[in-house]
Amino acid sequence: MSKKIGDVILDVQNISLRFGGVKALTDISFNVREREIRSIIGPNGAGKSSMLNCINGVYQPQEGSIVFRGQTFSQMNSRQVAEMGIARTFQNLALFKGMSVVDNIMTGRNLRIKSNLFMQAIRNPFGIGGAQREEEQHREFVEHIIDFLEIQAYRKTPVGQLSYGLQKRVDLGRALAMEPKVLLLDEPMAGMNLEEKQDMSRFILDVNDEFGTTVVLIEHDMGVVMDISDRVVVLDYGRKIGDGTPEEVRSNDEVIRAYLGTTN
Amino acid sequence: MIYQENGQLKISYRADQQIFPILQDRWAVLAILALAFAGIPMLADEYLFRAILIPFLILSLAAIGVNILVGYCGQISMGSGAFMAVGAYMAYNAYVRIDAMPLIGALLVGGASATLVGMFFGIPSLRVKGLYLAVATLAAQFFCDWAFLRIGWFTNNSSSGSVSVSNLDVLGWTVSSPLEKYLFCLSFVVVFALIAKNLVRSAIGREWMAIRDMDVAATVIGIRPMYAKLSAFAVSSFIVGVAGALWGFVHLGAWEPSAFSIDRSFQLLFMVIIGGMGSIMGSFFGAAFIVVLPIVLSQLVPALGALVGLSISTAAVSHIEAMVFGALIVWFLIVEPHGLAKLWSTGKQKLRVWPFPH
Ligand SMILES: Nc1ncnc2c1ncn2[C@@H]1O[C@H](COP(=O)(O)OP(=O)(O)OP(=O)(O)O)[C@@H](O)[C@H]1O
Ligand SMILES: [Mg+2]
């Protein structure tokens, strides 16, 4: 691989997050460089998803700050995060169940739509008001994503009817529709068979390669993590216990201890 | 295989993004419009206009409004009757207080006022969901019931709280006969149904549905829950308000606050549940069902009773009506939460592959 890893784009500094008495994250710091694939691993309940939720503004950490492209935030606002170009997929499918595949992915374009409510109300095939033209342009973009993810056959299908693996692809598609700088993926391959995992790994690598998208990946499958990550952070009980290249992490004693009995 | 899309390959996104992408559907809609504007006026009599068609049209419009909020945005509302009342009374005030206020202007003032009130009572939706929101919107109902009964200004100080309008005309065209009233309501319904359909298939509609289906994911892709929810309350109560104004001005002519009681709110909610949540067409189905069913039952039940030698009183008929409604609501909620619209589309799907079983 000849990709060029750039400067730090996302810097997590001393983040602590508590839910009542539960310390989900304790003083976590790590950074993510432009165009790298940065994995977060750790046993169940280690705080991986909570970490992404802090970056997304879904959870507000009690301490610490997050620096994105030079701007420092002590709290993230979801809308602003989306506007800055951070997209996200979910561990437990979080698709819009009542909508078709196309519409789900189209929601990823919503931030870019300029037509206001009145222009949308008078949407018409004659181009008056401009809403129709805008819809068509975004639809075209979405079709590229549908082609890329090889889900052409399911465009109009309500997402609830798709298999789990395909739903995971739609989730990725919705995030990609935002044309993000940074893509946060929460266990995109959980529950998949080998073939589906290979497809998903390929999509992630392609996105990273072709569009230079930075990827933060939570994954339990060590094979996949070791194969595609540039660097890995290891969490355990809300603390960081390892950080480095896959080789460094693999030979870290504390990591081995934390993982004894929990990996299979 | 008469109803199908074969041979209608969509070669552009514009073609695929039409309001009715299937050719037969477009013809069906045109046929329905022709029937509604030309056929029915020739066939129907005064009773049909007054007792069935006009109420059906106006309640369809209201149901579309409620469906936007409840079906598309997933925000429960029990205050629809109140928003209809706001539309009716504020349209009335605009009509009688402002010189030379045109009829359509007054109706739109009614809608705009309902928008403001709807958004105000929608504010709790930013914090609470489900049952709690239902209770908050119920407050709108009780507040409006009270305000229109007790605050004289709204009713131009009429002692009973009853108001009336007369001499409706639009640019010199008088709206007085049942046929004229029917055509007037029909035009409103067509325009608003088109607007509603446009909204729900555009970006704002996707925002509403995203909030309804998975609000955390919606937030993370940059949808602001506040904007999505309040815009749904605004659009919904505008349409409901206009429907309320039409109900007062065109259907009733003279009305008092009880015309828009909590019963009305429930009735609209039932229409949306029976017709189909998240379906514009379902709103029409639901309204038709609720307008027509009592009439059918009032004919059918005594006839059936006579068959077995029983004479059934009107009171008993209305009790049976309530029981049938109750049973249907439960049945739809359990068996087909997407209502008649879903049954309709399943039927179409069958037709599409007919005569093959799959
Ligand atoms: N909303 C919440 N309220 C209360 N506690 C929470 C909440 N979210 C997470 N936690 C707690 O924080 C801790 C970390 O959870 P988190 O979901 O981040 O773990 P994870 O590393 O993603 O685990 P998994 O591999 O199972 O997905 C857990 O103890 C969890 O119970
Ligand atoms: Mg997790």
Side-chain angles (χ1 to χ4, degrees):
Chain A
M1 259 194 275
S2 62
K3 71 175 175 183
K4 230 176 59 224
I5 289 182
D7 298 333
V8 170
I9 182 168
L10 178 69
D11 194 7
V12 174
Q13 300 177 341
N14 310 100
I15 291 285
S16 293
L17 173 74
R18 289 181 298 276
F19 296 103
V22 179
K23 289 182 175 171
L25 296 169
T26 310
D27 199 26
I28 302 290
S29 302
F30 68 95
N31 63 36
V32 182
R33 295 178 171 278
E34 235 174 316
R35 286 185 291 277
E36 82 173 329
I37 296 183
R38 182 74 147 126
S39 288
I40 304 179
I41 63 171
N44 292 108
K48 306 178 295 293
S49 299
S50 301
M51 190 61 245
L52 294 197
N53 282 335
C54 290
I55 298 175
N56 265 140
V58 178
Y59 292 165
Q60 302 295 346
Q62 280 84 9
E63 282 149 48
S65 52
I66 292 170
V67 184
F68 184 67
R69 304 178 95 195
Q71 255 186 300
T72 307
F73 302 88
S74 60
Q75 308 228 300
M76 301 295 258
N77 165 284
S78 296
R79 163 84 171 193
Q80 204 183 356
V81 171
E83 280 171 345
M84 291 189 305
I86 301 181
R88 159 87 185 267
T89 70
F90 293 85
Q91 175 173 2
N92 303 309
L93 287 168
L95 292 175
F96 307 128
K97 281 196 293 294
M99 299 161 72
S100 67
V101 169
V102 169
D103 281 345
N104 263 276
I105 303 180
M106 280 290 276
T107 57
R109 305 296 292 170
N110 264 27
L111 265 185
R112 293 166 191 268
I113 286 183
K114 308 270 180 324
S115 310
N116 60 31
L117 202 143
F118 297 97
M119 289 148 85
Q120 294 174 34
I122 59 160
R123 180 175 164 188
N124 57 79
F126 316 109
I128 303 162
Q132 177 63 29
R133 192 166 356 101
E134 224 187 349
E135 282 283 319
E136 283 165 31
Q137 285 161 359
H138 290 297
R139 173 66 188 274
E140 199 172 334
F141 188 89
V142 165
E143 286 295 329
H144 291 310
I145 294 176
I146 288 178
D147 288 345
F148 171 72
L149 294 174
E150 298 157 19
I151 45 179
Q152 297 91 332
Y154 313 102
R155 274 196 190 84
K156 294 290 178 71
T157 313
V159 288
Q161 294 174 14
L162 296 181
S163 71
Y164 183 77
L166 287 173
Q167 291 195 39
K168 284 275 188 192
R169 280 194 208 180
V170 178
D171 195 3
L172 177 62
R174 180 176 65 188
L176 290 178
M178 294 170 68
E179 296 179 69
K181 292 241 154 359
V182 176
L183 191 53
L184 312 176
L185 304 174
D186 196 346
E187 305 198 16
M189 297 165 222
M192 288 185 168
N193 64 32
L194 185 63
E195 199 174 333
E196 288 171 326
K197 279 185 183 175
Q198 281 170 347
D199 282 339
M200 189 54 91
S201 308
R202 179 164 53 84
F203 295 138
I204 296 170
L205 285 171
D206 280 355
V207 169
N208 177 251
D209 241 28
E210 284 177 36
F211 312 111
T213 310
T214 309
V215 176
V216 178
L217 172 71
I218 297 179
E219 186 47 56
H220 276 299
D221 186 318
M222 283 307 135
V224 172
V225 170
M226 296 301 158
D227 273 358
I228 71 175
S229 317
D230 296 301
R231 288 189 299 156
V232 181
V233 183
V234 191
L235 302 184
D236 187 28
Y237 291 112
R239 294 176 181 280
K240 183 167 105 170
I241 58 168
D243 190 347
T245 62
E247 294 73 36
E248 287 165 358
V249 164
R250 202 175 358 215
S251 53
N252 178 326
D253 285 342
E254 210 174 342
V255 174
I256 294 169
R257 208 172 320 124
Y259 262 90
L260 272 181
T262 52
T263 41
N264 34 22
Chain B
M1 297 241 279
I2 296 165
Y3 179 81
Q4 48 142 334
E5 62 224 86
N6 290 5
Q8 298 183 31
L9 198 62
K10 312 290 186 307
I11 49 169
S12 73
Y13 302 128
R14 170 165 302 176
D16 197 39
Q17 286 182 334
Q18 292 181 74
I19 247 186
F20 303 106
I22 297 178
L23 184 65
Q24 286 87 342
D25 282 347
R26 284 202 291 283
W27 283 114
V29 168
L30 283 180
I32 289 170
L33 285 177
L35 183 71
F37 276 104
I40 287 179
M42 288 192 291
L43 299 171
D45 60 4
E46 291 214 354
Y47 169 78
L48 208 56
F49 283 127
R50 211 176 274 146
I52 298 183
L53 292 169
I54 293 173
F56 159 69
L57 285 173
I58 300 175
L59 292 176
S60 301
L61 182 62
I64 290 174
V66 177
N67 216 331
I68 285 180
L69 184 65
V70 180
Y72 285 95
C73 197
Q75 307 299 305
I76 188 82
S77 167
M78 310 247 264
S80 318
F83 304 145
M84 279 183 90
V86 171
Y89 280 100
M90 293 311 286
Y92 167 77
N93 274 287
Y95 202 56
V96 298
R97 286 174 195 275
I98 301 172
D99 276 343
M101 175 57 112
L103 173 59
I104 292 181
L107 298 176
L108 296 180
V109 168
S113 312
T115 304
L116 294 178
V117 176
M119 285 172 76
F120 176 76
F121 283 100
I123 291 173
S125 72
L126 307 179
R127 298 302 299 271
V128 296
K129 292 180 186 174
L131 187 59
Y132 296 95
L133 180 59
V135 171
T137 54
L138 209 51
Q141 184 70 48
F142 290 125
F143 176 77
C144 291
D145 282 357
W146 171 83
F148 294 124
L149 204 56
R150 300 287 171 217
I151 302 179
W153 184 86
F154 289 120
T155 52
N156 212 0
N157 296 313
S158 98
S159 53
S160 60
S162 159
V163 299
S164 66
V165 288
S166 52
N167 304 326
L168 304 178
D169 78 287
V170 182
L171 301 171
W173 176 56
T174 52
V175 184
S176 62
S177 76
L179 171 62
E180 287 159 348
K181 288 178 172 178
Y182 164 80
L183 289 173
F184 183 69
C185 292
L186 180 62
S187 315
F188 258 84
V189 171
V190 169
V191 169
F192 277 99
L194 193 66
I195 289 175
K197 185 79 190 170
N198 272 339
L199 289 174
V200 299
R201 67 194 185 100
S202 297
I204 187 73
R206 291 191 295 267
E207 292 197 11
W208 293 336
M209 291 185 274
I211 288 287
R212 170 195 70 189
D213 286 348
M214 191 58 72
D215 51 0
V216 175
T219 315
V220 162
I221 54 177
I223 292 172
R224 288 163 300 181
M226 180 165 96
Y227 179 79
K229 289 177 184 175
L230 288 187
S231 65
F233 268 97
V235 172
S236 164
S237 21
F238 185 84
I239 296 177
V240 171
V242 169
L246 282 173
W247 191 257
F249 276 53
V250 181
H251 178 54
L252 300 175
W255 71 94
E256 44 194 84
S258 65
F260 305 103
S261 66
I262 179 101
D263 292 350
R264 181 72 62 206
S265 297
F266 279 119
Q267 191 188 41
L268 291 173
L269 213 50
F270 293 164
M271 285 181 194
V272 171
I273 293 170
I274 291 179
M277 301 226 238
S279 163
I280 298 295
M281 192 173 47
S283 312
F284 288 98
F285 288 154
F289 198 82
I290 289 211
V291 170
V292 172
L293 185 71
I295 294 171
V296 171
L297 286 179
S298 70
Q299 303 292 323
L300 198 65
V301 173
L304 284 178
L307 268 183
V308 294
L310 281 172
S311 88
I312 295 174
S313 68
T314 2
V317 171
S318 72
H319 291 157
I320 291 175
E321 190 190 312
M323 288 185 325
V324 171
F325 268 134
L328 278 169
I329 302 280
V330 174
W331 186 81
F332 272 108
L333 282 175
I334 295 173
V335 180
E336 189 46 271
H338 297 288
L340 292 169
K342 183 62 193 293
L343 296 180
W344 172 254
S345 73
T346 315
K348 280 209 306 192
Q349 188 57 37
K350 293 235 165 78
L351 201 56
R352 200 174 278 182
V353 292
W354 185 84
F356 306 109
H358 294 292

